[in-house]
Structures are given as C-alpha cells and as structure tokens.
Amino acid sequence: MLELNKSGTDRSGPGRLPAQGPGPDGRPAGDAPRTGDGDAAERVPLRPYLVAGAILCALYFLYAYFQYSRFGSPSWDLGIFEQEVRAYAGFNAPVVDIKGPGYLILGDHFSPIVALLAPLYWLWPSAESLLFAQAALFALGAVIVGRTTQQLLGGRSGLCVTVAYGLSWGIQEAVKADFHEIAFAVPLLALVCRALLLKRYTAALLWSLPLVLVKEDLGATVAVVGFLLFVYGRRLQGALLAAFGVAAFVVTLMVLIPAASSAGTYDYWQKIDKNGEQDVSMLDSVLGVLNSSVKIEMMVFLIGITAFMALRSPLTLLIVPTLGWRLLSQDSNHWGMVWHYSAILMPVLFLALADGVRRSRDSHRPWLASYAKVAVPVAAAIAVAMTQHLPLRDLLRPETYRTGDARSQAARAALDAIPAGARVETDITLMAHLTSDRTVYWVGGAPGTAPDIVAINLDFGWSRPIQDPVAYAQQLHPEASYRLKHRGGSFVVMERTSPEPAEIPGVRGD
C-alpha cells in the first residue's frame, strides 16, 4: 500500500538520494554506489538511454507512419489536430472545421500547448509531423523514466524499466490511436516524478505548471503534486501549487472553455451525467465506478504492469484524477485499455515502481525485500510478454509494410482527384490526408456549406449502405448540385456543379 513516510529516506536533505542499508561489500544496497549528492545525475551515463529512446521513437513512428500510409487512422483526431496545428502555424485562431464550420477548438478541449508544434509544421506540413512529434515525446519519457530509475536503483534496473515503459500497453495503444495532445504530458509528468524522487522540489513545482496547458483536467493532477510537496515538508510550495491546480481546473472548465465554445458550456460534463439520453445522478456515477469488468481489468493491468510495486509509492496518487473522471464517465471508451487515455499514467506508474522497489529493499518483511530484488525484471518480462497482443507486434508482420495494396491505391487515386485548396467533406479514411492543404469537414457535420467536394469511402462502416453516392451528397447539401467525378474501388469523389454560396457558415469573407 502507499507509504508516505516509511521509506527510510525522511532524514535525507533536499537534493539527496535516499539512504540505503549496507550491502555485502560494504557499499549501499543495490548494484551501484550511491553518492548521496546532487551530482548523482552526472554519474549515470546518458548515452544508453538516448540510444534506447531513439530505438523506441523509431518503433513508434514506424508503426504510426505505416498505419497512416495504409489509410488506417482509427478516428478523426489526427485530422482535428492537424487543422489546429496548421492554424497556429499560420498565426490564426485554432479553428477546426472538422468539428463544425468555424469551430474554435479551445471550446472543446483546452490544449494551447499544441501551438508548440507550429515550427515543426513549418518544416513538415503534414499529419506525419504530428505522428513523429508524438513518437519523440513518448520516447523522451522513456529516457527520463529509465535514467531516473538507474539513479535510484543502480545496475541494469534503468534499462529494464526503459523497456517495460517503452513497451507498456498504455504507450502502445496511444501510438495506435494517432496523435493526441496528451503526448506533451508524458515527458512533463516524468520530469515531475523524477524531481519528486530526487527531492528537487522546486523543479517538481516548475515542471508541473505547464500541465494546465495540455488538457483541462490536468489542473487536478497539478493539485495532487502540490499535496505531495506539502506532505514532503514543502508546505508553502505545496499549498500554493495545490491552490493553483484547483484554480486552473475550475477556471478552465467554468470560464475559458465556455467562453470559447459556441454553446457557452463544457460539453464533456454530459459524459458523466448522461448515459445516452438518460440522466445519471452524481451519486449513481460514484457508486458505479467499478460496475464493469472492463474497468476492473484496466485497474488490474495498470498496477500489474509494475509487478504491483507501484502501490508502495505515494507517486501513485498522481494517477487518481485521471482515473477518477474516466471511471465516473458513462462513455465506455474511457474505461478500457484501448485509445490514448492511459498514456499519461505510464511515466507515473513506472517511476512509482522504482520508488516502490527502493522503499522495499530494506523492508522488515523478508518476503517483500526479496520480491523487491526481482520486481523490475518481472515488470520488463510482463511488458515483453504482453506485446504479442499489442500494436507493436504488427511491426513483425510483412503485411504492415505493404502500402501498395488495391485499397491504398484506390484511396490515393481519390486524393489525386481532389484539387488543392478545395473545401472537402469526407469521412475518417481520407481525412488526415487532406487537412494539410484543403479545408476539411466531417461528413454530415457541415450543413449549408455546399463544399466543393464530397469524398467518401463506401466501406467506411455506414449505418446504412450508400447505394447512390451522388444522391447522398445532394441529401447532405440540398442547396447544391453534385456530379460524380471519380470512382475507384470503394472510394467515390463528387464535385459541386452549382455556384458556390455567397455566404458559407463559419467562413468569413476578406
């Protein structure tokens, strides 16, 4: 269980590594000598972790790139984020037409930190640049987690935890889910946890501040960082940071997002208080936090990937805010082990593993002290074993690299039939391939716009099969007329034949 003051480290001064009991050779317990001073970081080699990070970055990007090249994006999110970054790169307001014509994305999720990708987008104006950025940010988290672990535990523990983190299901599923803003939170949280473990409390405070710019709910996580600082003896810093986190959380959800939203409210409250059309009370939401086997499975695997040693560290408290809203949500997409929602928990849990092992090595319970010696390789073995059921396994399959199949060729032919600069209404299949140089709308989500092109994949998985694509386009936009321009495989491109409307919703004239 969590132990706040039972690590044998309470008397260590700020910036000092925790005291360890003597080993058989008279050195501190563990595999490497401890210096106990702020120079410990310089005594841990950086190069092995940079190499491991580069390998992980390559694996993540390779998977994401070939998924993108095979037109296999699982959601509209990559297109949404490219529209946002493209707007920032052009020094414009972050309007995302995929969410609706003229939709200001800060009224959906508050993630202004995404603007940092604008310089990369100037050099590489494509959705692929976002996929690379995410791969690099995830890999940076591995470097921080692994090197910190070696500072704490010595020996080969750091590289073992690097592997365990790098192959963890939370990271792999996030790579599969394409780009999301939480990629920025992963290295930031790793740096926060590292600073807490090394007793660099001011650094922990400073690294936690940008989290409120990553996503609206992370203000609550910042408040927990403040609570930990308070418990660790930095009472003023902790109290101020906790107050800042709570204030940022409240102001973002109650003021900033509603101000940017056309609806004047935070839409995602409905994820908690509505199940479909049925209202759900907060009491029912709280009582139902573990009312699904999917939720329980996720909880078990979250802690299980650390060989359950994360439970020995107070750092685990940092996962509570994210887990809290996910378990309260009525949306089953938030409950399980898929999508990107667990990625930000991975650096916390694996550094909690390192802290848990450190706290347990000198335990008065012999079984726990013995288990602490093998917990790190056990966690690495779990990660490797689980990978056979996770996305990166596909990198071992030849079909992953085949981007010249009939479906992909038909999709590229459809893209070629859509002129640059056109306003296009489309589904997920082609979306992220169009957002770099076209105005893109979600199919059915842009009434009254009469887009230049309606491009659809007939095999997308429509609730009703589309028998007549032209009639479907005109059903979407009765104010316009369309004709078939291109058809190949399951991909159909229709172009507008009637004049462009004088006024287009969400588009202002010069």
Side-chain angles (χ1 to χ4, degrees):
M1 297 300 291
L2 298 177
E3 298 186 36
L4 293 174
N5 297 297
K6 199 176 179 182
S7 64
T9 66
D10 297 338
R11 291 182 296 275
S12 299
R16 293 182 176 272
L17 293 176
Q20 300 281 341
D25 58 355
R27 287 180 4 203
D31 302 78
R34 306 291 195 272
T35 63
D37 58 28
D39 296 329
E42 286 68 29
R43 291 179 170 84
V44 174
L46 178 60
R47 181 178 297 178
Y49 296 99
L50 292 178
V51 171
I55 292 171
L56 288 171
C57 180
L59 292 176
Y60 300 152
F61 180 64
L62 198 63
Y63 179 93
Y65 171 79
F66 279 103
Q67 177 174 258
Y68 173 81
S69 298
R70 298 193 316 273
F71 296 85
S73 291
S75 75
W76 63 355
D77 290 338
L78 181 58
I80 286 174
F81 282 106
E82 186 181 0
Q83 282 192 336
E84 181 178 2
V85 174
R86 181 185 174 191
Y88 285 127
F91 300 100
N92 298 313
V95 169
V96 174
D97 291 305
I98 290 172
K99 293 283 291 185
Y103 189 95
L104 187 62
I105 197 63
L106 295 179
D108 183 57
H109 288 303
F110 190 76
S111 306
I113 200 169
V114 171
L116 293 178
L117 294 179
L120 175 62
Y121 198 80
W122 295 336
L123 301 174
W124 190 359
S126 167
E128 294 157 284
S129 65
L130 276 64
L131 299 176
F132 175 78
Q134 177 167 271
L137 289 166
F138 286 168
L140 176 59
V143 173
I144 299 166
V145 168
R147 192 161 184 255
T148 304
T149 299
Q150 183 165 344
Q151 285 180 247
L152 296 176
L153 304 181
R156 298 180 178 86
S157 298
L159 290 176
C160 283
V161 170
T162 302
V163 171
Y165 162 91
L167 297 181
S168 62
W169 60 264
I171 296 295
Q172 291 201 45
E173 291 294 346
V175 170
K176 182 180 179 180
D178 285 337
F179 178 86
H180 288 88
E181 74 284 282
I182 53 87
F184 286 97
V186 170
L188 284 173
L189 282 167
L191 288 166
V192 169
C193 293
R194 168 185 170 83
L196 288 173
L197 292 177
L198 298 182
K199 298 185 180 296
R200 298 169 182 171
Y201 296 130
T202 300
L205 183 152
L206 294 175
W207 283 121
S208 66
L209 295 179
L211 287 170
V212 302
L213 303 178
V214 177
K215 201 172 180 183
E216 62 274 6
D217 62 292
L218 289 176
T221 301
V222 172
V224 177
V225 177
F227 169 76
L228 290 176
L229 288 176
F230 187 90
V231 170
Y232 289 152
R234 296 300 179 100
R235 298 188 181 279
L236 179 59
Q237 284 183 324
L240 291 175
L241 185 61
F244 169 79
V246 171
F249 179 77
V250 172
V251 170
T252 303
L253 266 63
M254 300 296 186
V255 179
L256 298 181
I257 291 179
S261 171
S262 58
T265 185
Y266 180 55
D267 291 341
Y268 292 93
W269 290 126
Q270 298 182 27
K271 297 288 185 180
I272 294 175
D273 60 23
K274 282 189 179 294
N275 187 353
E277 297 299 322
Q278 182 179 357
D279 291 336
V280 179
S281 69
M282 181 56 71
L283 178 60
D284 287 337
S285 294
V286 172
L287 294 177
V289 292
L290 293 177
N291 62 353
S292 167
S293 61
V294 177
K295 295 179 181 180
I296 295 171
E297 178 187 63
M298 177 192 67
M299 296 286 287
V300 170
F301 277 94
L302 273 177
I303 306 301
I305 56 174
T306 69
F308 297 97
M309 287 301 292
L311 291 173
R312 294 276 298 165
S313 172
L315 288 183
T316 306
L317 292 173
L318 291 172
I319 75 173
V320 171
T322 297
L323 274 184
W325 72 256
R326 290 176 63 186
L327 296 176
L328 288 172
S329 173
Q330 305 302 313
D331 187 343
S332 60
N333 288 315
H334 295 151
W335 302 346
M337 297 171 62
V338 295
W339 300 110
H340 58 287
Y341 302 108
S342 296
I344 64 172
L345 308 181
M346 297 298 109
V348 175
L349 288 170
F350 282 100
L351 284 175
L353 158 67
D355 188 33
V357 169
R358 179 182 66 172
R359 290 166 176 269
S360 302
R361 280 180 165 178
D362 299 322
S363 173
H364 297 298
R365 288 166 280 187
W367 68 269
L368 183 57
S370 298
Y371 181 59
K373 296 177 182 178
V374 299
V376 167
V378 167
I382 291 171
V384 173
M386 287 186 67
T387 295
Q388 65 178 316
H389 304 292
L390 293 171
L392 290 185
R393 75 189 185 282
D394 290 348
L395 294 178
L396 301 176
R397 298 176 176 175
E399 57 267 27
T400 297
Y401 307 95
R402 294 172 186 158
T403 59
D405 59 287
R407 178 180 176 277
S408 297
Q409 290 179 350
R412 292 189 187 94
L415 292 177
D416 292 339
I418 303 172
R423 293 183 300 109
V424 187
E425 187 168 354
T426 189
D427 58 70
I428 289 169
T429 314
L430 298 176
M431 184 174 287
H433 296 262
L434 293 166
T435 44
S436 63
D437 58 359
R438 286 97 161 176
T439 299
V440 180
Y441 305 112
W442 167 244
V443 64
T449 59
D452 306 312
I453 298 290
V454 176
I456 57 176
N457 174 13
L458 297 175
D459 291 341
F460 172 64
W462 308 97
S463 56
R464 295 181 182 177
I466 298 174
Q467 303 294 341
D468 186 341
V470 174
Y472 179 68
Q474 297 190 170
Q475 177 185 342
L476 292 173
H477 300 284
E479 73 279 7
S481 299
Y482 289 86
R483 71 175 180 86
L484 184 65
K485 180 180 182 182
H486 169 85
R487 182 163 189 165
S490 63
F491 295 90
V492 183
V493 177
M494 283 84 57
E495 66 177 354
R496 193 188 68 247
T497 58
S498 56
E500 183 175 285
E503 295 185 6
I504 302 171
V507 177
R508 292 177 296 179
D510 295 333

